[in-house]
């Protein structure tokens, strides 16, 4: 089973109440090839919510409980424990659904795969992963960014009888 960031399937769960709909993500969900998740929503954050960034280190540092590394909202509120709780809940769902691969929204402090914001709330990004993406990778689950959500990357993970339908729709 494929895991998708819920915003990629068109759900308005991003911090600002929007989505990042991707037609392939929506197709995978509608054809029973994927489930969606937003660990921030699992953690109880509202929609919309204050933007948050990893400050002082990396997602791996957060998971390893390095004290100086925190997830902070733009207003300075420390939401590290909520982010970690969302990841823990998300990982339970991952285990229960035999997730083989994940396609996540890059840039997010939760789902970022290649890039996350710097932690300075300056609009700039740096190389790095979000906390959930890092946790998935540590469990050996391949993670791809939304920029890599392409037919060639999902084909190995879908039901073989749907391959022709997928290719006809997107190739």
């Amino acid at each position: 089973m494929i895991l998708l960031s819920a915003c990629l399937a068109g759900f308005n769960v991003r911090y600002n109440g929007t989505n990042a709909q991707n037609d392939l993500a929506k197709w995978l969900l509608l054809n029973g090839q994927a489930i969606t998740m937003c660990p921030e929503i699992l953690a109880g954050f509202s929609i919309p919510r204050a933007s948050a960034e990893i400050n002082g280190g990396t997602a791996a540092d957060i998971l390893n409980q390095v004290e100086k590394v925190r997830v902070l909202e733009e207003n300075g509120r420390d939401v590290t424990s909520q982010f970690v709780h969302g990841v823990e809940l998300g990982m339970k769902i991952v285990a229960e659904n035999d997730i083989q691969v994940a396609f996540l929204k890059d840039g997010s402090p939760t789902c970022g795969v290649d890039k996350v914001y710097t932690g300075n709330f300056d609009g700039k990004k740096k190389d790095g992963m979000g906390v959930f993406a890092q946790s998935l990778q540590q469990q050996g689950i391949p993670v791809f960014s939304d920029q890599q959500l392409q037919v060639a990357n999902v084909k190995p993970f879908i039901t073989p009888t749907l391959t022709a339908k997928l290719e006809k729709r997107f190739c």
Side-chain angles (χ1 to χ4, degrees):
M1 183 66 65
I2 297 170
L3 175 68
L4 302 167
S5 290
C7 62
L8 296 178
F11 296 102
N12 295 326
V13 295
R14 297 183 73 203
Y15 77 96
N16 60 3
T18 64
N19 66 65
Q21 184 173 312
N22 175 294
D23 290 342
L24 179 54
K26 193 169 183 178
W27 185 93
L28 290 165
L29 181 64
L30 292 173
N31 283 277
Q33 302 303 295
I35 64 168
T36 64
M37 180 189 311
C38 178
E40 293 177 28
I41 300 306
L42 290 175
F45 287 102
S46 64
I47 305 166
R49 58 190 167 277
S51 64
E53 297 183 10
I54 298 170
N55 183 274
T58 67
D61 295 332
I62 296 284
L63 295 173
N64 291 323
Q65 301 178 345
V66 173
E67 193 62 34
K68 69 176 182 75
V69 184
R70 313 304 295 159
V71 180
L72 301 176
E73 290 181 338
E74 192 168 15
N75 59 19
R77 188 177 92 144
D78 185 340
V79 291
T80 307
S81 62
Q82 293 97 315
F83 268 71
V84 170
H85 180 64
V87 169
E88 290 168 350
L89 293 173
M91 292 307 290
K92 288 180 183 177
I93 294 168
V94 165
E96 292 168 358
N97 287 279
D98 191 32
I99 297 301
Q100 301 298 307
V101 65
F103 292 88
L104 306 174
K105 179 67 180 125
D106 211 24
S108 160
T110 303
C111 293
V113 174
D114 298 317
K115 299 280 185 189
V116 292
Y117 287 92
T118 63
N120 299 318
F121 296 96
D122 57 8
K124 297 178 182 173
K125 293 181 184 178
K126 65 179 181 178
D127 292 341
M129 298 187 96
V131 184
F132 185 56
Q134 181 73 51
S135 185
L136 288 166
Q137 186 178 65
Q138 287 178 352
Q139 293 299 311
I141 297 171
V143 291
F144 294 91
S145 77
D146 54 310
Q147 301 300 313
Q148 298 167 303
L149 184 52
Q150 301 164 1
V151 171
N153 291 333
V154 300
K155 264 175 57 172
F157 303 100
I158 67 166
T159 305
T161 56
L162 288 176
T163 300
K165 186 176 176 183
L166 173 73
E167 290 175 337
K168 182 177 181 181
R169 172 73 168 84
F170 292 100
C171 293

